Amino acid sequence: MRHPRLILKPGHDRPVRRHHPWIFSGAVAELEGRIEDGEIIDVYSSDREWLARGYLNRRSQIIVRLLTWNPEEAIDESFWERRIDRALAARHLLRLDEITDAYRLVYAESDWIPGLLVDRYRDFLVIQSLTLGIERRKELLVRILTERCRPTGIYERSDLDVRAKEGLPPADGVRHGEIPPERIVIREHGYLFRVDIRHGQKTGFYLDQRENRRRVAPYLAGARVLNAFSYTGAFAVYALAAGAESVVNLDTSAEALADAAANVQLNGFPASRFENVEGDAFRVLRQFRASGRRFQAVILDPPKFAFVQAHLERAARGYKDINLQALHLLESGGILVTFSCSGLVSADLFQKIVFAAAEDADREVQILERLGQAPDHPVRLSFPEGEYLKGLICRVW
């Protein structure tokens, strides 16, 4: 099938040939033919060589998101079925059902389906449609997911800021089946967690931290732990299960802290072993320092600080500040577990930020382990932007 043609400027074809899925508006020389945004377009080099096929959105800085580099592959219903089947098969190979009933099924560009996120929470699916190209095909994709997964319901949480860049308003609600309950109880590595998939952060739970929670836990045995940016207290549950003496959950959301308390109790730990503190972490960490309060382990899992390149310097200052305050709170020999989920902050830059904080705090720090996102959030080699979560387990002297 012939599609309208997008012609690249000279010298802008290399990323496409290397299977990077994004074409930015500045790389485009001309558009040939009439086409609506969200529809399929063929991409050609400046000398009119066919390169790839994807969907167009002139309202976005990313003007084309590429779907195939095979000129014979049509972008029809069977295409979307094949892509979803491949993503589901990849999750099956991870044998995730043996350890959890909540995980990512489709990870957008990293699963060759740009703009679509799908998470499973027991027998419910949560979808996020992030681009106009996916929005135009949402009903089809919901139908495919319904046929393949047979969920009790599919709920949409397309409330991310990126939709505005695509010219799309936020969208949420039931797209198939039943309305999810107010809280779903999921299991993970033998622990139970209450999840609000309709209103909670991300799609309700930090699925990408699953393996990091398990890896961090042994370092927390016997420790007094501060769990900053705690959300619903998942790290606290793992810490208490590993034998932490006590855990302080610190978050700005009273509702999240209520769920954190429920999760601790749901897993059989007494209320005497944890404390909830509501407040801004930047302010509360300083208050703890001023009052002389000290911990044997501090976990920092802040939200995304850098959304665009212009925010990077400010984000770096924010990461340095919270790590500096955490280092001041740690006893000698203590453990710092620190994360960044800002994709624009590379692992190398993040390590330099933590080093700068250690210099200012006059603390010696050893890196014990490097952490990343769980394997149901794979990183496609031709799309390094899919690697956003990085973390360090450190010993502080």
Side-chain angles (χ1 to χ4, degrees), residues 5-78:
R5 305 201 308 176
L6 180 147
I7 313 301
L8 296 175
K9 294 177 180 177
H12 286 265
D13 58 334
R14 188 180 181 194
V16 179
R17 294 182 188 278
R18 300 182 73 180
H19 288 209
H20 192 281
W22 292 351
I23 296 176
F24 291 91
S25 57
V28 177
E30 60 180 306
L31 283 170
E32 297 180 354
R34 299 180 62 181
I35 181 172
E36 292 185 11
D37 286 328
E39 296 307 314
I40 303 301
I41 194 163
D42 283 336
V43 177
Y44 287 78
S45 67
S46 58
D47 57 4
R48 301 313 197 261
E49 177 188 358
W50 188 93
L51 297 176
R53 183 171 291 138
Y55 57 73
L56 176 78
N57 188 358
R58 282 162 288 204
R59 288 173 285 185
S60 173
Q61 184 184 3
I62 304 172
I63 192 169
V64 178
R65 296 179 191 256
L66 297 173
L67 299 169
T68 182
W69 287 259
N70 177 359
E72 305 303 319
E73 187 168 33
I75 311 302
D76 53 15
E77 184 172 331
S78 64

